Amino acid sequence: MTMAFTVSVVAEGRFVGGGSCKHGGARRSRGTRFGLRMQETKVEGAKAVEVPTSKKLGVGIIGAGRIGQVHAENINLKVKNAELVGISSGTKKLAEVCSLENSCTPYYDYHEMLENPDLDAVCICSASNQHTDQIIAAAEAGKHIFCEKPIDTDLAVIDEALKAVRKAGVKLQVGFNRRFDCNYSRVRQAVVSGEIGTPQIFHITSRDPSPPPIEYVKSSGGIWLDCTIHDFDMARFLVGDDVEEVYALGAVNIDKEIEEYGDIDTSVISLKFKNGVIGTIDNSRRAVYGYDQRCEVFGSKGSVSINNNYPNSAVVSTAEKIQRDLPLHFFMDRYTESFVTELRDFVDCVVEDKKVPVTGWDGRAPVVIAIAAKKSYHEGRPVKLSEVDLPIPEELVGWDGQ
C-alpha cells in the first residue's frame, strides 16, 4: 500500500542579512521571516518532493513626504517580494493619509514601528538631518535599511551610523536611484566592457526645471550636498574610481534670496580622479525648458552619451520650423522606473542575502566630494579630498559596507 503524508520543516534561525543582529542586548534571528521560510516535503512511497513556501519582506516607511509616498506606493504595488507594514511620520495627517492610501498601519513615532515583529526593513525618507538617528535606531532593532541620500552632511555623524550598521550586521543601501536608470546603466556597461576603451573625459549636465522653496534651501546643506550629490555619485559610478581633487565655481543667477543663506544656484565643477580621468559637472537650479539630464564619457576607442527623456518621440516639421515637445519635467517623471528598480534590488538583496549595490561607503563618498567642492568655491582653488576627509574609524577598517 502506498502512503502519502506531509512533513513541515522549518528552516533554522538563520539571519538572512549575513550576520547576527542585536536587539536589547540579546541575539535575535529573523531569517525565517522571509524568503525560503518553510519547506513542505510530500512523501509518496520512496519519492519526496519539496514544495517551498515564501513570505514577503516586511517593510516600513519612515517619512511620508514626497519621496516617502513614492516608495510606499512602489512597495505596495510594484515590489512583489515586499509587504508594506507601516508608514511613520511626525506629521499625523501625512502618516494617516499615506497609510490609508497603501492599506497599512500609520505610526506617529518610528520607534513604535521598529517594535513591530512583522517589520524586517525600513525605508528612510525623512529630512536629511534625521537620517543617521533613524539608521542607528533601525540597526539596533535589527532591521535592514534603505536610506535616501544623503546619509548626513557631517562625515563624523555618517561614520557613527556606519558603525551601528556594521555592529548590528544588517544591510544598508543608499538611495542613489540614477544608478538604476537604464540610460546610465548603458553608459556604465560601455565603460566596464571596454567598448569605448580607457575612459579619459566625462561630462554630466544636471539642471532642475525650477529652484526649490527657500524653506527647503535653508536646511538642504547647499547645492552640492543636495543637488550635485547625485552627480558626484554618478561620476564615481561611471568612471569606476574615486575622486582625488575638486575645483568648483559658482554663481547666483536665479534667486538672490538663495545667496542670503550662503548657497548658490549655478555651478561648474571640475573633478580629477585617481585613475587620471578628468571631467566636469554643470548644475543649474532652473532650466526653463525642463529637467536637463545629459551625460557623456569619452574614451580611447570612442564615446558613449545619453540625452534627455521625452514624453513622446514625435517631431513636428513645417516650412517654418522643426520642433518636438519639451523633455520630461522633473525627476519624478524622468526616473520613475529607477525608483522601483532600486527597491526591488534592495529587497532581493535582503531576501537572498546578496551584496547591496550601493553601500554606506558609496553614500559617504559623494559627501566628501561635496565638502571639498564647497571649500574650493570659498577659497577659490582646487582642493584635494584628503584635505577634508576624516580618518576611517577603527571599527570600520577593513569593512566593505556589506
Side-chain angles (χ1 to χ4, degrees), residues 149 175 222 253 383 394 398:
K149 62 79 189 171
N253 293 322
V383 171
E394 183 180 347

Side-chain angles (χ1 to χ4, degrees), residues 247-290:
Y247 182 50
L249 297 172
V252 178
N253 293 322
I254 300 164
D255 187 347
K256 292 299 180 182
E257 195 172 0
I258 289 177
E259 190 173 22
E260 294 177 16
Y261 295 97
D263 201 4
I264 60 173
D265 54 36
T266 308
S267 171
V268 176
I269 306 129
S270 297
L271 302 177
K272 180 181 179 182
F273 283 79
K274 291 181 179 179
N275 62 4
V277 175
I278 56 175
T280 58
I281 298 171
D282 80 76
N283 299 117
S284 174
R285 287 290 198 182
R286 185 176 67 196
V288 295
Y289 48 84

Side-chain angles (χ1 to χ4, degrees), residues 115-287:
E115 295 174 0
N116 186 336
D118 292 328
L119 186 74
D120 301 304
V122 295
C123 182
I124 297 175
C125 310
S126 54
S128 298
N129 59 5
Q130 300 174 24
H131 288 177
T132 50
D133 285 344
Q134 293 163 355
I135 288 172
I136 292 170
E140 290 177 347
K143 313 299 182 182
H144 300 287
I145 304 155
F146 177 95
C147 182
E148 277 298 328
K149 62 79 189 171
I151 298 175
D152 197 83
T153 58
D154 186 308
L155 295 177
V157 175
I158 292 174
D159 290 343
E160 288 301 311
L162 296 186
K163 285 194 286 186
V165 169
R166 187 182 192 187
K167 182 179 180 181
V170 296
K171 293 184 184 294
L172 168 64
Q173 179 174 322
V174 181
F176 283 120
N177 64 290
R178 295 182 190 179
R179 291 188 179 212
F180 301 87
D181 174 71
C182 61
N183 295 303
Y184 284 109
S185 294
R186 182 64 182 92
V187 175
R188 171 66 175 161
Q189 179 188 340
V191 173
V192 172
S193 66
E195 196 173 351
I196 63 166
T198 302
Q200 297 173 350
I201 301 171
F202 79 91
H203 182 70
I204 294 173
T205 294
S206 184
R207 303 166 186 160
D208 292 347
S210 59
I214 290 299
E215 285 301 314
Y216 179 86
V217 171
K218 291 179 183 179
S219 59
S220 70
I223 189 171
W224 296 301
L225 280 162
D226 171 51
C227 178
T228 323
I229 196 165
H230 274 293
D231 307 310
F232 290 147
D233 175 69
M234 190 48 54
R236 293 181 68 247
F237 177 64
L238 298 180
V239 173
D241 201 5
D242 285 314
V243 173
E244 183 177 65
E245 187 177 87
V246 177
Y247 182 50
L249 297 172
V252 178
N253 293 322
I254 300 164
D255 187 347
K256 292 299 180 182
E257 195 172 0
I258 289 177
E259 190 173 22
E260 294 177 16
Y261 295 97
D263 201 4
I264 60 173
D265 54 36
T266 308
S267 171
V268 176
I269 306 129
S270 297
L271 302 177
K272 180 181 179 182
F273 283 79
K274 291 181 179 179
N275 62 4
V277 175
I278 56 175
T280 58
I281 298 171
D282 80 76
N283 299 117
S284 174
R285 287 290 198 182
R286 185 176 67 196

